[in-house]
Amino acid sequence: MDDAGEKEKRAGRRLWTIAAVVFSLLVLSIFIGRYPRPFLTPLSALIDNELARSLVFHLRLPRILMAFLLGTVLSASGAVFQMIFRNPLVDSGFLGVSQGAAFGASLGIIYLGGTALGVQATAAAFAFLGLAASYFIARRIRWGDWVFRLVLAGISVAALFSAGTGILKYLADPLKHLPDITFWLLGGLWAVTWPDFWQVLPVAGAGLAVMFLMRWRLNLLSMRDETAFSLGLAPGRERIVLLSAAVAATAVLVSKAGQVTWVGLIIPHIARRVVGADAQQMVPASIFIGGIFVLFCDDLARAVLSGEIPLGILTSLFGTVIFIVLLSTRRLRLKA
């Protein structure tokens, strides 16, 4: 008991340290950009330059908050997926959500004129369709346990939507639609404004709250159904609640940000190394570290070059490097 209490206290101290880093990076990000000078905006410019103040408040601040929210949701969703499916190599796109969103966005770009509302609506709709299709196919499979059936269904739906996106790219106008599809698939927050942030906040915030409040159940839901039933749980119903929250929050953010990969895969592993595998500490750590990771990548995306680097490229680059380091230093695991 003493060892367990000491571990919990140590994890709590580390969480507070991570929270302090989050706050510091959020404040620092306000001063990172290309105007009025590259990289760091001096405080005097915000005091004396009205255009700089307007840029920070109307463009930079909503983008900072959206980047942080995107990181928190993708990381929390990845942690939920990895524990529910007892598989350390899945993330929030596991049930065809990201691939469905990509297919829907491609449809919106080609057939709805590429308007922001049309792209976001079709991306969100097909993200939810990815979840529904995975669930329906899993129910039709007659062998294997529920988790295994959902794994197979998710892989199938993701592949189907990826093939559909490839067909749409082939059919797209190479001068008008194809560049828009390709750029959306790279991911980025260059067009985010306050209305965009307020549009996604209710659903993303509600999904994040469900995942946070139910985090203590994840330790039990990661067990096999027989064990969960013996402890008085209704694992099927609780898994559906958590999966729905994760997918809904991911869908609305992906519809705005495009494909931002690797976040939900690697961040939960980092969180486990920092605070341990207990979901009560691991999920908050994933939320904080994920927000730090995506916000850091977005700061680089808008500050390093005069032409913005797509956010998805940076998350993939850093995510791949981190994943290789994780694989080479310690075996991936779900239990402490």
Side-chain angles (χ1 to χ4, degrees), residues 223-236:
M223 301 176 181
R224 295 193 175 276
D225 287 351
E226 296 82 1
T227 306
F229 276 123
S230 69
L231 295 173
L233 297 178

Side-chain angles (χ1 to χ4, degrees), residues 28-37 39-41 46 52 54-66 192 194 295 298-299 302:
L28 179 62
S29 297
I30 295 174
F31 299 94
I32 296 177
R34 300 290 301 181
Y35 183 87
R37 66 172 64 172
F39 303 115
L40 282 177
T41 301
L46 299 183
S54 178
L55 181 148
V56 167
F57 183 77
H58 294 291
L59 295 178
R60 195 176 294 174
L61 190 55
R63 176 168 178 167
I64 289 169
L65 295 177
M66 182 72 88
V192 168
W194 281 117
L295 185 55
D298 190 59
D299 287 344
R302 58 189 173 84

Side-chain angles (χ1 to χ4, degrees), residues 49-239:
N49 190 327
E50 183 178 352
L51 179 59
R53 288 199 305 272
S54 178
L55 181 148
V56 167
F57 183 77
H58 294 291
L59 295 178
R60 195 176 294 174
L61 190 55
R63 176 168 178 167
I64 289 169
L65 295 177
M66 182 72 88
F68 181 73
L69 183 63
L70 176 64
T72 61
V73 166
L74 292 179
S75 302
S77 299
V80 167
F81 276 93
Q82 289 175 14
M83 293 203 71
I84 285 181
F85 295 113
R86 302 189 295 273
N87 188 331
L89 297 177
V90 300
D91 61 8
S92 56
F94 182 57
L95 293 180
V97 176
S98 296
Q99 294 83 356
F103 179 79
S106 300
L107 280 178
I109 290 171
I110 295 176
Y111 297 109
L112 297 180
T115 62
L117 181 60
V119 172
Q120 293 161 10
T122 52
F126 278 90
F128 280 105
L129 182 61
L131 173 64
S134 297
Y135 180 81
F136 176 77
I137 294 173
R139 297 280 294 180
R140 301 289 294 178
I141 299 174
R142 299 301 181 187
W143 47 275
D145 63 14
W146 172 246
V147 172
F148 181 70
R149 284 181 280 152
L150 206 53
V151 168
L152 293 180
I155 292 173
S156 303
V157 171
L160 183 63
F161 276 128
S162 295
T165 302
I167 293 173
L168 290 176
K169 291 173 70 176
Y170 178 77
L171 297 175
D173 186 329
L175 299 179
K176 182 179 180 182
H177 297 137
L178 185 58
D180 291 339
I181 294 174
T182 302
F183 207 53
W184 189 91
L185 291 174
L186 291 175
L189 299 173
W190 53 83
V192 168
T193 58
W194 281 117
D196 296 313
F197 177 73
W198 296 124
Q199 284 172 14
V200 303
L201 184 61
V203 176
L208 194 62
V210 169
M211 290 184 281
F212 178 81
L213 294 174
M214 293 186 67
R215 68 192 186 281
W216 65 279
R217 308 291 283 181
L218 282 172
N219 293 321
L220 303 176
L221 294 175
S222 63
M223 301 176 181
R224 295 193 175 276
D225 287 351
E226 296 82 1
T227 306
F229 276 123
S230 69
L231 295 173
L233 297 178
R237 183 166 58 247
E238 295 190 22
R239 284 173 183 149

Side-chain angles (χ1 to χ4, degrees), residues 273 322-331:
R273 297 198 179 191
I322 294 172
F323 191 64
I324 292 172
V325 173
L326 291 174
L327 287 175
S328 61
T329 57
R330 188 175 176 186
R331 189 167 65 88

Side-chain angles (χ1 to χ4, degrees), residues 1-12 278 281:
M1 294 295 293
D2 292 340
D3 289 342
E6 183 59 32
K7 285 183 178 179
E8 187 173 347
K9 289 181 181 179
R10 185 165 59 249
D278 186 346
Q281 286 81 39

Side-chain angles (χ1 to χ4, degrees), residues 268-297:
H269 293 296
I270 297 174
R272 290 187 190 100
R273 297 198 179 191
V274 174
V275 300
D278 186 346
Q280 294 192 75
Q281 286 81 39
M282 188 270 288
V283 172
S286 296
I287 290 172
F288 287 142
I289 297 173
I292 292 171
F293 178 71
V294 174
L295 185 55
F296 171 75
C297 290

